[in-house]
Amino acid sequence: MATTNDLKNGTVLRIDGQLWTVVEFQHVKPGKGGAFVRTKLKNVLSGKVVDKTFNAGIKVETANVDKRDMQYLYKDGTDYVFMDTDTFDQLNVPETTVGDVANFLLENQSALVATNDGVPLYVELPPSVVLELTYTEPGLQGDRSTGGTKPATLETGYEIQVPLFLEAGTKVKVDTRDGSYLGRVND
């Protein structure tokens, strides 16, 4: 248990049996009446964002969230298997928990896995990853970097938009938050 004075960004609270992360908080002391804390909370599992106000000094239940760097090993049915690089323990993470991260996940890649009481909550990748283009239409003479874009398939099977001049076999940097092309990577 903690009080509202202990709240800070990233703190995970347990409210009505659900886990919520504090995205923003603001202590407010009006001229009349008691102080309060205005917060913006994000549901850890669904991603839903809500505004909630607490009276200052009241007790709130915090949740213990363990974030560890883990290595992705392989896909087992609908589960993704990750290994803790320190203890070599393996953890099966359901496909629904992995979500869109699967579009950029390669075997032996490191990822941050957050758990609460042994239950996986979410998987987080670095802001950008380097992946190889496995298929795209061939570039034509006259295609320039300032021109349009074309669809290209990454080695994970995910499709993104890339400039016209790129060809299959090129390594590119991809933003893991929205799947956008960030640039070409030279080996």
Side-chain angles (χ1 to χ4, degrees), residues 34-172:
F36 58 92
V37 180
R38 189 178 293 138
T39 62
K40 187 176 280 190
L41 303 173
K42 180 179 179 185
N43 189 305
V44 171
L45 297 176
S46 70
K48 180 180 173 184
V49 177
V50 297
D51 292 323
K52 187 161 176 68
T53 303
F54 298 97
N55 290 330
I58 68 162
K59 297 227 179 274
V60 289
E61 186 180 354
T62 57
N64 183 19
V65 175
D66 186 21
K67 296 179 183 177
R68 293 176 180 238
D69 275 324
M70 294 186 143
Q71 183 178 14
Y72 169 60
L73 297 179
Y74 57 90
K75 187 171 180 186
D76 181 23
T78 59
D79 288 355
Y80 289 78
V81 180
F82 288 85
M83 178 183 69
D84 188 324
T85 52
D86 296 333
T87 63
F88 302 107
D89 290 339
Q90 292 187 7
L91 176 70
N92 285 25
V93 181
E95 196 169 33
T96 53
T97 304
V98 175
D100 292 340
V101 168
N103 297 330
F104 312 105
L105 201 55
L106 288 175
E107 290 182 1
N108 300 324
Q109 187 175 358
S110 288
L112 186 79
V113 180
T115 58
N116 173 256
D117 298 332
V119 177
L121 299 174
Y122 60 87
V123 177
E124 206 173 87
L125 286 177
S128 64
V129 291
V130 175
L131 295 168
E132 188 174 321
L133 298 178
T134 55
Y135 176 78
T136 186
E137 295 294 324
L140 300 172
Q141 183 65 31
D143 287 344
R144 299 287 176 254
S145 61
T146 56
T149 59
K150 62 182 178 181
T153 306
L154 298 170
E155 56 189 309
T156 60
Y158 186 67
E159 195 172 275
I160 65 169
Q161 293 293 319
V162 298
L164 295 170
F165 66 89
L166 289 181
E167 296 180 6
T170 307
K171 288 192 184 280
V172 295

